[in-house]
Amino acid sequence: MTTREPVPFTQWDEPEGEWTLPGACPVRSNRTLMLEAAARFLFPTVLVFSVYLLIVGHYAPGGGFPGGLVAGLAFVLRYIAGGESEGAEIGSRFVVRPPVLMGLGLLVAVVSALAPVAFGAPVLASAKVTFEIPLVGTVDLVSSLLIDIGVYLLIIGVVLDLLRSLGSGIERDAREAAGEEAGP
Amino acid sequence: MSTLVTLPVLLPILGAALTVLAARSARTQRLIGIVVLAAVSVVAAVLLVAADRTGPVVAELGGWPAPVGIVLVADRLSALLLLISTVVTLAVLVYAIGQRISDYGRETASTTFHPIFLLLSTGVSLAYLTGDLFSLFVAFEIMLAASYVLITRRTNASRIRSGMTYVIISLTSSLLFLTTIALVYAATGTVNLADLAGRVAALPEGLRTLLSMLTIVTFGIKAAMVPLHFWLPDSYPNAPAPVTALFAGLLTKVGVYALLRTQTLVFPGTGPSAVLLVLAVLTMVVGALGALAQDDLNRLLSFLLVSHIGFMLFGLAVYDARGAAGTALYIVHHITVQATLFLVSGLITRRTGTVSIEAMGGLARRAPVLAVLFAIPALTLAGIPPTSGFVAKLALLQAGATGGAATAVVAGFVVLASLLTLYAMVRVWVRVFWGTEKEPLSDDDPTDELVVGTARASRPMYAATVALVAVSIAIAVAAGPLSAVTEKAGADLMARTPYVEAVLG
Amino acid sequence: MITINLAMAVVLAVLYSVGFYLLLQRSLMRILIGIVVLGHGANLLLQLAGGPPARAPVLGTALPEEFADPLPQALALTAIVITFALTTYLLALGYRSWVLTGRDEVQDDVEDRRVAERERPEGSMEEDAEGPDDEEDPGSAAASDRTDEPAEVSGSGAAR
């Protein structure tokens, strides 16, 4: 059993390790424990809520666009808490680049718009599948959900790209400018 | 058949998605872009034949019939313009690819250029095909948003101002458009163009005039109609040559198309429109005179573009089948020739390292191919027989001569503006291609895509320009069948019933 | 035909006039806010084009004749998204402009003024050179640009 070194009183509120951080925060002093901890708990919750919005969109307020925005907001929260954003960081190891999300979303949306033609229906037509799931009850699945999924991915991609270019990009510019001024 | 109508809109989006995903392979991106645009050209040609033989082809999205659902309509006019626009877009894409290869090398891929280029094509296709006012707004926004990116891409300190002007002006006109849509909906309860054709007629005359004027102002800004043209010569010359060519060829013409469609279908008049006649004269004369004062080659061409928008307005203002046919033919001719001229201007600029006409000279001896490539579209734009410009202008003049005393007077201004165009072109010819040979200027700012005085121009750039020159010659050769189509298109526009019946069934 | 109540008409008038007033300013930030305000005005008008407030148009929640017109709502939603996206783009562009030029102003077109200078007769040019009218108006950006204009012009001339 290893004994820990005693932590000085003044550093009690400093976070230990990378538990709360999705990415590496470039400026240590800019961190807030409260936001980081809250982001840690809120992030998955908000993501689940965004998927809920995505699915109920056909019959209730929601849909791909609001769902995507809400999911985007989850990433915004993580960005505010953790700084630096290069894309959707899953487990902070595997990073999905925003253009990939956008391209995939657009692709899914267009393909599902064209897909009805293969079944002899007009473009953008939709079909409904109803089935029973034990314990859950009757579930209606509409094929236009696919378009919503495309929009959902697209919007997340756009928000992440905004974070990358207008968030981290501007921060990086500012840091470089500050570095230049401080240098010779 | 109705699925085909959606393809010119959906295929470029699909291409955009694929080019984003293929961001690492420049070769794949190029291939996707060319294949998609070639496919859309073929689709447009098929649509044109179908529309000409059996009447407008209508696609009801999701199977919802008009006026409840969104419809895409390809009649003779929209299919024809779609075809020529896509062909020009394809040529410009090839030119742009050539330019990218000579500037950045064969392997440089971009996450923005190809997708945005294809999205612009989507917007243009949707604008031609859409059957309702709000989708037209969406089409304009897709097209303009893409153009904002293209005009401000790799911008620098001296060029960002013009990009800014362009974005702000376009946004303002879009908001005016939105206002118009809101008022139209409040007055009639529909945004479907075919449905509006019936309902607007029942409105009080004052309200009808107000709505009509609002559309003229809205589309007038987009079409660069004098006195709403001032943004165009400021912004277009500040984009790289292929982008300027695309904008000059397509964007303003989409505005003219929207004007033509709404003024004939929704707000039909009974005779020559005095307002439009005055605006047409102003546009022709101010544009041509503005061109004479310019030293910057691209600005000169931009002013001529404004001037020739006046020609199209004139055909519309005559307000009969001949006039509408003349405008349609003129749009087809002008899309091709204006894009070609800007592409040639790009080639000249690469040769000389400058856009200033004063600083050029004696280019005919050093670059004879370039001289020929400039001379043909220049004469075409001025309307010298036997070019396509002559055919198109003849159609307009005939419409003017038979339209009444007022239109005959304005037809005189058409001749005047053509002469001024010819003068401007001769002036460019004498200063740039004749005279003492001047050394090309060196490239001061390698980061600036606008002026590359390296004379490096890859083969695709010349191939694309030659192809467009060939297209404009083909228009002159096929003037007979082409004007047969445009005359029928003009008659359709005035009759209104083929469109309305095809949409509302 | 749909008519609107006076209060909304006043709100629209204020939004439109404030929007257009701000659009006419020289500062980019004000123009941007002008576009936003104008966009709100246009979207509100679109929303009002659907008639007076009524029940949500969801089947089964009310009688069809009690429904509000859903189409303007859908249109307004789309328009809001579009204006929002383009405002973001303009904001980014404004930031870029500020980084590149260090100014928050829409500037004069250099080429325009170059053409004007070129075409002006000899005499009037001298008159203009000594005329102090431009310096008297500190608010005009043309005046503040005046000093560095020759440098800019020659710079662009060389680049072309």
Side-chain angles (χ1 to χ4, degrees):
Chain A
M1 189 180 140
T2 54
T3 49
R4 290 183 167 208
E5 286 190 18
V7 178
F9 171 70
T10 49
Q11 291 170 17
W12 274 10
D13 58 350
E14 276 190 2
E16 186 191 3
E18 296 292 312
W19 186 80
T20 49
L21 274 181
C25 188
V27 189
R28 290 278 148 187
S29 57
N30 285 354
R31 299 170 62 171
T32 65
L33 178 66
M34 216 120 80
L35 196 58
E36 279 178 29
R40 181 79 182 183
F41 292 113
L42 281 176
F43 181 70
T45 322
V46 177
L47 277 189
V48 170
F49 178 60
S50 79
V51 174
Y52 166 78
L53 281 180
L54 167 68
I55 293 172
V56 301
H58 197 70
Y59 291 109
F65 190 80
L69 271 187
V70 168
L73 281 177
F75 286 102
V76 171
L77 180 66
R78 203 148 90 154
Y79 165 74
I80 292 174
E84 291 294 299
S85 168
E86 285 304 321
E89 291 153 19
I90 300 168
S92 77
R93 290 276 176 223
F94 177 58
V95 180
V96 186
R97 288 172 58 249
V100 175
L101 276 178
M102 283 194 267
L104 223 63
L106 213 51
L107 191 67
V108 169
V110 179
V111 168
S112 51
L114 275 173
V117 177
F119 302 96
V123 172
L124 279 169
S126 58
K128 196 170 85 168
V129 189
T130 309
F131 51 88
E132 295 275 340
I133 298 181
L135 298 177
V136 178
T138 317
V139 176
D140 287 338
L141 267 188
V142 189
S143 68
S144 59
L145 181 64
L146 272 176
I147 294 187
D148 266 344
I149 291 175
V151 174
Y152 179 84
L153 290 176
L154 181 68
I155 297 298
I156 296 182
V158 168
V159 173
L160 286 173
D161 213 4
L162 281 179
L163 284 182
R164 186 174 70 151
S165 51
L166 289 183
S168 310
I170 287 180
E171 271 180 27
R172 205 176 304 126
D173 285 355
R175 263 207 311 283
E176 274 166 18
E180 271 170 28
E181 272 168 30
Chain B
M1 187 49 87
S2 76
T3 307
L4 271 189
V5 187
T6 59
L7 288 183
V9 179
L10 289 179
L11 279 183
I13 305 185
L14 190 67
L18 292 174
T19 44
V20 171
L21 290 175
R24 284 171 201 248
S25 162
R27 182 185 292 266
T28 320
Q29 282 190 323
R30 288 197 286 263
L31 192 69
I32 293 170
I34 291 174
V35 166
V36 162
L37 287 177
V40 174
S41 309
V42 172
V43 170
V46 173
L47 283 177
L48 178 58
V49 172
D52 193 39
R53 286 203 183 143
T54 59
V57 189
V58 180
E60 290 165 346
L61 296 187
W64 297 95
V68 178
I70 297 173
V71 286
L72 298 182
V73 191
D75 65 349
R76 288 194 181 95
L77 177 68
S78 42
L80 179 65
L81 296 186
L82 180 66
L83 175 62
I84 193 72
S85 301
T86 318
V87 170
V88 170
T89 314
L90 179 60
V92 172
L93 177 65
V94 172
Y95 183 100
I97 287 173
Q99 180 162 340
R100 290 181 63 80
I101 288 177
S102 30
D103 288 355
Y104 306 110
R106 202 164 272 281
E107 298 307 324
T108 311
S110 158
T111 43
T112 51
F113 178 77
H114 286 277
I116 295 294
F117 196 91
L118 289 173
L119 279 182
L120 189 117
S121 168
T122 302
V124 172
S125 304
L126 185 59
Y128 286 140
L129 293 176
T130 180
D132 72 86
L133 217 48
F134 194 78
S135 300
L136 187 62
F137 168 75
V138 175
F140 269 120
E141 289 316 299
I142 296 176
M143 186 175 91
L144 291 174
S147 75
Y148 302 155
V149 179
L150 286 178
I151 208 168
T152 53
R153 249 180 114 249
R154 296 176 185 275
T155 190
N156 60 17
S158 60
R159 277 167 48 207
I160 193 150
R161 181 203 60 78
S162 60
M164 213 73 198
T165 318
Y166 176 72
V167 176
I168 292 167
I169 297 280
S170 304
L171 266 177
T172 312
S173 88
S174 297
L175 291 174
L176 275 178
F177 190 9
L178 203 55
T179 310
T180 314
I181 292 174
L183 292 177
V184 167
Y185 189 84
T188 61
T190 182
V191 286
N192 184 292
L193 286 174
D195 202 14
L196 277 175
R199 295 206 199 181
V200 164
L203 294 178
E205 199 189 340
L207 184 57
R208 215 166 53 217
T209 314
L210 171 82
L211 294 177
S212 166
M213 287 301 139
L214 264 174
T215 54
I216 291 182
V217 170
T218 307
F219 298 134
I221 297 178
K222 294 185 199 294
M225 170 181 85
V226 172
L228 305 166
H229 70 290
F230 39 81
W231 56 273
L232 189 142
D234 272 3
S235 54
Y236 279 16
N238 286 300
V243 173
T244 317
L246 193 65
F247 287 12
L250 300 186
L251 299 198
T252 46
K253 252 57 103 216
V254 174
V256 175
Y257 165 80
L259 207 54
L260 186 61
R261 182 65 85 194
T262 51
Q263 291 300 310
T264 53
L265 187 61
V266 182
F267 306 105
T270 46
S273 153
V275 177
L276 281 175
L277 279 178
V278 170
L279 289 173
V281 170
L282 277 178
T283 311
M284 283 189 274
V285 174
V286 170
L289 291 180
L292 295 180
Q294 301 305 317
D295 175 48
D296 180 331
L297 182 56
N298 285 328
R299 282 177 68 95
L300 187 145
L301 291 176
S302 304
F303 268 105
L304 284 181
L305 166 62
V306 172
S307 167
H308 285 244
I309 294 294
F311 288 59
M312 298 164 215
L313 288 179
F314 167 63
L316 173 60
V318 173
Y319 211 83
D320 61 6
R322 277 163 181 258
T327 301
L329 192 57
Y330 206 89
I331 296 178
V332 171
H333 139 75
H334 196 253
I335 285 178
T336 325
V337 72
Q338 194 75 46
T340 320
L341 277 173
F342 273 108
L343 291 186
V344 175
S345 154
L347 290 173
I348 293 177
T349 309
R350 292 176 86 82
R351 224 0 122 149
T352 57
T354 174
V355 287
S356 162
I357 297 171
E358 297 288 341
M360 302 179 192
L363 210 56
R365 205 165 309 148
R366 269 196 297 139
V369 179
L370 212 51
V372 174
L373 280 181
F374 178 80
I376 297 174
L379 292 178
T380 309
L381 188 68
I384 304 296
T387 58
S388 64
F390 175 70
V391 179
K393 267 176 199 146
L394 196 62
L396 283 179
L397 288 178
Q398 277 174 342
T402 53
T407 58
V409 172
V410 180
F413 280 99
V414 170
V415 177
L416 176 71
S418 304
L419 288 177
L420 288 175
T421 307
L422 184 62
Y423 175 63
M425 280 307 171
V426 168
R427 198 170 141 263
V428 172
W429 177 264
V430 170
R431 302 241 171 121
V432 175
F433 290 97
W434 286 350
T436 50
E437 279 189 45
K438 288 180 186 156
E439 280 304 303
L441 300 176
S442 61
D443 193 8
D444 293 334
D445 184 3
T447 59
D448 191 0
E449 258 185 48
L450 195 57
V451 178
V452 190
T454 51
R456 273 178 308 160
S458 57
R459 243 173 289 156
M461 297 169 73
Y462 275 100
T465 318
V466 170
L468 276 185
V469 170
V471 169
S472 93
I473 293 175
I475 293 176
V477 172
L482 192 63
S483 33
V485 173
T486 53
E487 268 161 28
K488 278 187 254 172
D492 285 356
L493 279 178
M494 289 301 143
R496 307 203 291 153
T497 36
Y499 189 94
V500 174
E501 277 170 9
V503 173
L504 296 181
Chain C
M1 209 183 305
I2 304 283
T3 49
I4 56 173
N5 62 33
L6 186 64
M8 279 300 135
V10 170
V11 170
L12 281 177
V14 168
L15 283 177
Y16 270 86
S17 33
V18 168
F20 274 114
Y21 176 77
L22 286 174
L23 263 185
L24 296 175
Q25 302 292 303
R26 198 100 197 195
S27 152
L28 211 50
M29 222 36 232
R30 290 187 185 198
I31 293 175
L32 199 122
I33 295 170
I35 295 241
V36 172
V37 173
L38 200 57
H40 288 337
N43 286 323
L44 181 61
L45 182 62
L46 199 53
Q47 183 69 59
L48 291 172
R55 305 293 295 271
V58 179
L59 272 181
T61 56
L63 293 173
E65 50 269 25
E66 291 173 355
F67 284 163
D69 189 351
L71 188 66
Q73 301 183 2
L75 301 188
L77 201 58
T78 315
I80 288 169
V81 171
I82 291 174
T83 16
F84 165 69
L86 292 180
T87 309
T88 319
Y89 188 77
L90 200 58
L91 200 58
L93 203 58
Y95 171 75
R96 189 87 196 121
S97 162
W98 183 76
V99 167
L100 284 172
T101 63
R103 278 183 247 198
D104 174 44
E105 271 171 354
V106 179
Q107 289 146 45
D108 285 347
D109 187 3
V110 183
E111 181 67 19
D112 246 3
R113 279 185 284 151
R114 208 162 75 89
V115 170
E117 298 279 327
R118 204 165 62 96
E119 299 296 320
R120 202 173 295 175
E122 291 295 315
S124 67
M125 227 164 146
E126 282 163 30
E127 221 172 88
D128 200 67
E130 60 183 355
D133 343 342
D134 282 299
E135 272 75 18
E136 277 177 6
D137 180 8
S140 123
S144 58
D145 277 0
R146 202 88 197 158
T147 44
D148 55 20
E149 184 210 325
E152 263 181 279
V153 169
S154 63
S156 73
R160 284 160 203 273

